[in-house]
Amino acid sequence: MIKIKHITKSFILPHERKYTIFEHILSFIKMNKGYEKYYALKDITLDIEEGEVIGIIGDNGSGKSTLLKIIAKILVPDNGEVITHGKISSFIELGVGFQDELTARENTYLYGILTGMSKKEISAKYEEIVKYSGVKKFMDVKLKKFSTGMRLRVAFSTAIQSNPDILILDDIIGVGDINFQKKCFEAFQRFKKERKTIILAYHHIEAIEKLCDKVLYLEKGRQVAFGPASKIVKMYVERNAINNSKK
Amino acid sequence: MIKNWDLIKELAWSDFKVRYKGSILGIFWSFLKPILLFAIFYVVFAIIFKSDVENYALFILLGIIMWNFLVEATNISMNNMLVKKELLKSIYFSREVLVISSCLNALITAASNLALFFIIALILKLDFSAHILFLFVSMTLLFVLTLGISYILAALYVKYRDITHIWEVCVQIGFWITPIVYSIGLIPNKYMYLYMINPFARIINDAHNAVLYHTLPNVYQILITAGICIIVYIIGYKLYKYRSKYFAEEV
């Protein structure tokens, strides 16, 4: 169960990025404000029940990723709070933390632990991970020799072994070839069957309608609507059509 | 906490492997730096300045290994905030893990260097005594202190990248106000209380006395040293913990 209460998040957008003490002093002396406050999310409130699959839709820059990162505790909101029960695994990007100089086997352990598994759990599931990834022959090869697709498969096979109560996915099911997408879809169905709570942002609007129970519609950081998937998706499509015809 | 420990170990060990895997000499590079420094200082101070410190070779070697641990740990800690940028931005984990694993990474190097120190001590026929066990206390204090400083530097580094230059100067100064290449006997008595504020001077001096000269500091002095280390650690931890909320957006 997840309770999201009145979440507001702003970012400071400096005109120039200041990285040093020297630059900070300089801009202080010049007395230029040099930044703008930008609201990525404004007053978002919703409750998510256990086992629900929630989709987040909206145009680019509407705050989808920011909301996912706040639920995953990567970002801290300015106001409001998020109450979650259970273990959260977030996949904002697949394969972060991979080390090119290490072998695929070493990376599997590293990535598994990063995504919240214990070393024991990974050892127990190692054979399964290798089988699923389909790169068994290359597990002792350094990762830098791997193609993008192979890396993705290692990351994905490891990721789906983590056993979270809440799964957060940011547009990652859209990557890879058809075969990979099929595997993603299967894994997704499995998590759904196991009554995991899943929150995902995804650009493919038909897929959202098919996969999700409920949908949250964001526009420029504001919550436009939250409700049954088919209804909200219809609303999103209609509003977009109106906006387009206005142009 | 057990999961964090798994993560700390995995990060420290994988970073350590990556650090030396790219080169054929591998781990031997980690010996090279302290040995080279040692050779330079030995030539300058023992041969040119004719230092009369007893067991002078081992004296500088031990000091350099301990000081080198501080330098490496802080540098790796700061650097790791950038190298692990993507992790900070897309995975939630206790942020303290990054600094602890960086310091452990440096500790692996320090431990192998200390092993080398004892091999050399055997060859030079150092008179060993049970006082040597005090080195564990010294290294523990050094680790806590270094961890505290690394927390401060890593937290600041995310926002102020030029902190590395400032720290470099501090390290240079620190080296000369710590008894590494000279013995504490050279310090005039009236400045002694000032000199002894520096916790590194206290730790390294005690280590020298225990390992090379079979004397231990009194309990009262150890408690003061431990007190300073713990205060620095708490300040560092609090600062890091507070700043870590914003790492994902600032890094």
Side-chain angles (χ1 to χ4, degrees):
Chain A
M1 186 198 64
I2 305 168
K3 275 185 191 298
I4 298 170
K5 292 181 190 165
H6 305 291
I7 292 292
T8 297
K9 176 72 187 170
S10 65
F11 290 111
I12 304 265
L13 293 183
H15 293 149
E16 313 164 67
R17 194 102 204 237
K18 295 192 285 285
Y19 271 126
T20 62
I21 296 175
F22 185 68
E23 283 160 358
H24 274 91
I25 294 171
L26 215 63
S27 82
F28 182 77
I29 293 168
K30 284 186 193 157
M31 301 267 285
N32 66 350
K33 192 160 155 256
Y35 64 82
E36 270 159 58
K37 215 172 184 184
Y38 163 78
Y39 280 91
L41 288 175
K42 274 182 183 169
D43 201 19
I44 308 291
T45 300
L46 59 136
D47 285 351
I48 299 168
E49 299 297 326
E50 212 179 293
E52 271 184 333
V53 180
I54 306 292
I56 304 178
I57 55 173
D59 299 339
N60 285 333
S62 57
K64 301 188 293 287
S65 294
T66 307
L67 183 58
L68 289 180
K69 283 184 178 182
I70 288 175
I71 299 171
K73 295 193 216 162
I74 297 164
L75 292 176
V76 187
D78 301 355
N79 282 311
E81 59 172 343
V82 178
I83 302 165
T84 54
H85 293 286
K87 190 184 145 196
I88 305 177
S89 279
S90 60
F91 296 101
I92 306 292
E93 213 178 306
L94 272 178
V96 278
F98 270 175
Q99 295 266 25
D100 272 358
E101 287 296 327
L102 300 180
T103 65
R105 180 196 305 273
E106 289 167 318
N107 270 301
T108 302
Y109 275 89
L110 179 61
Y111 191 58
I113 288 173
L114 275 170
T115 54
M117 283 187 268
S118 68
K119 205 159 184 171
K120 253 191 201 158
E121 282 176 85
I122 304 167
S123 297
K125 287 171 177 167
Y126 184 73
E127 287 306 315
E128 208 177 323
I129 295 173
V130 174
K131 212 177 126 202
Y132 200 83
S133 71
V135 290
K136 192 173 181 181
K137 270 198 287 190
F138 307 105
M139 288 313 278
D140 289 315
V141 174
K142 278 187 184 177
L143 204 73
K144 64 178 172 190
K145 308 270 185 202
F146 274 43
S147 70
T148 318
M150 284 160 86
R151 282 162 170 266
L152 207 60
R153 290 208 312 255
V154 174
F156 180 74
S157 318
T158 313
I160 58 164
Q161 293 299 334
S162 69
N163 195 15
D165 303 307
I166 300 165
L167 191 65
I168 295 174
L169 304 169
D170 190 5
D171 229 349
I172 54 164
I173 20 186
V175 293
D177 57 15
I178 293 183
N179 221 335
F180 180 77
Q181 290 201 15
K182 209 180 123 210
K183 277 189 168 180
C184 284
F185 193 73
E186 283 166 13
F188 192 89
Q189 294 296 351
R190 197 195 85 206
F191 278 121
K192 205 172 162 174
K193 224 183 244 164
E194 288 168 6
R195 302 277 303 150
K196 309 279 185 202
T197 309
I198 306 173
I199 308 171
L200 73 154
Y202 195 18
H203 277 107
H204 201 300
I205 200 78
E206 285 92 30
I208 286 271
E209 194 175 355
K210 209 164 70 185
L211 296 172
C212 301
D213 303 321
K214 283 183 183 169
V215 167
L216 172 70
Y217 174 12
L218 295 177
E219 199 177 79
K220 289 183 183 136
R222 287 174 200 278
Q223 177 172 352
V224 179
F226 177 58
S230 55
K231 193 180 136 200
I232 308 291
V233 166
K234 205 175 144 204
M235 183 178 158
Y236 176 69
V237 173
E238 277 169 8
R239 271 175 81 127
N240 264 335
I242 294 167
N243 284 343
N244 283 338
S245 66
K246 269 184 196 163
K247 282 172 198 165
Chain B
M1 194 56 215
I2 294 167
K3 282 230 166 106
N4 274 347
W5 184 232
D6 263 2
L7 182 54
I8 291 168
K9 273 192 304 190
E10 191 66 30
L11 282 176
W13 185 234
S14 65
D15 283 350
F16 185 78
K17 279 190 285 189
V18 170
R19 197 142 64 103
Y20 294 112
K21 225 171 192 178
S23 59
I24 308 164
L25 281 175
I27 182 126
F28 289 101
W29 283 120
S30 73
F31 295 128
L32 203 64
K33 203 178 149 197
I35 292 290
L36 265 176
L37 273 176
F38 161 73
I40 295 165
F41 287 119
Y42 189 75
V43 168
V44 172
F45 287 95
I47 298 171
I48 302 173
F49 287 125
K50 303 203 184 353
S51 165
D52 55 359
V53 177
E54 195 189 335
N55 278 325
Y56 188 60
L58 292 172
F59 181 94
I60 16 180
L61 189 54
L62 184 58
I64 286 175
I65 290 171
M66 292 176 83
W67 187 255
N68 197 38
F69 166 68
L70 166 79
V71 178
E72 273 208 346
T74 49
N75 284 340
I76 297 173
S77 296
M78 285 190 279
N79 195 30
N80 246 346
M81 302 309 283
L82 271 202
V83 174
K84 302 273 189 281
K85 197 173 169 171
E86 294 310 315
L87 284 188
L88 288 170
K89 282 184 171 181
S90 59
I91 296 182
Y92 173 75
F93 57 93
S94 310
R95 304 314 196 193
E96 295 91 288
V97 163
L98 276 187
V99 174
I100 300 174
S101 68
S102 303
C103 290
L104 275 185
N105 182 348
L107 190 66
I108 303 175
T109 313
S112 50
N113 286 342
L114 281 175
L116 182 72
F117 169 84
F118 283 112
I119 293 171
I120 295 172
L122 276 176
I123 295 169
L124 294 179
K125 299 202 174 69
L126 173 75
D127 181 15
F128 284 101
S129 68
H131 294 97
I132 242 173
L133 293 174
F134 187 77
L135 192 58
F136 282 106
V137 179
S138 298
M139 285 308 288
T140 308
L141 291 174
L142 183 66
F143 188 79
V144 172
L145 181 63
T146 303
L147 190 57
I149 293 174
S150 300
Y151 272 138
I152 297 173
L153 291 169
L156 293 176
Y157 184 63
V158 171
K159 208 166 178 186
Y160 309 108
R161 295 291 150 77
D162 50 354
I163 204 83
T164 47
H165 304 298
I166 298 169
W167 179 239
E168 226 170 273
V169 176
C170 295
V171 165
Q172 287 297 329
I173 298 169
F175 185 87
W176 296 106
I177 59 166
T178 303
I180 298 169
V181 290
Y182 58 86
S183 129
I184 203 160
L186 286 182
I187 304 299
N189 250 339
K190 59 178 173 179
Y191 297 123
M192 200 51 134
Y193 72 98
L194 250 179
Y195 189 82
M196 278 309 195
I197 293 173
N198 172 11
F200 292 103
R202 305 176 71 92
I203 293 171
I204 293 180
N205 183 46
D206 288 350
H208 278 150
N209 284 336
V211 176
L212 303 173
Y213 313 123
H214 320 293
T215 46
L216 295 181
N218 67 45
V219 179
Y220 179 64
Q221 289 299 329
I222 299 172
L223 285 179
I224 294 178
T225 314
I228 300 173
C229 295
I230 290 167
I231 290 169
V232 172
Y233 174 82
I234 291 172
I235 294 172
Y237 179 79
K238 294 260 178 198
L239 176 74
Y240 188 84
K241 188 92 187 163
Y242 168 72
R243 293 289 318 151
S244 67
K245 284 185 272 182
Y246 309 106
F247 285 168
E249 49 194 286
E250 278 176 352
V251 74

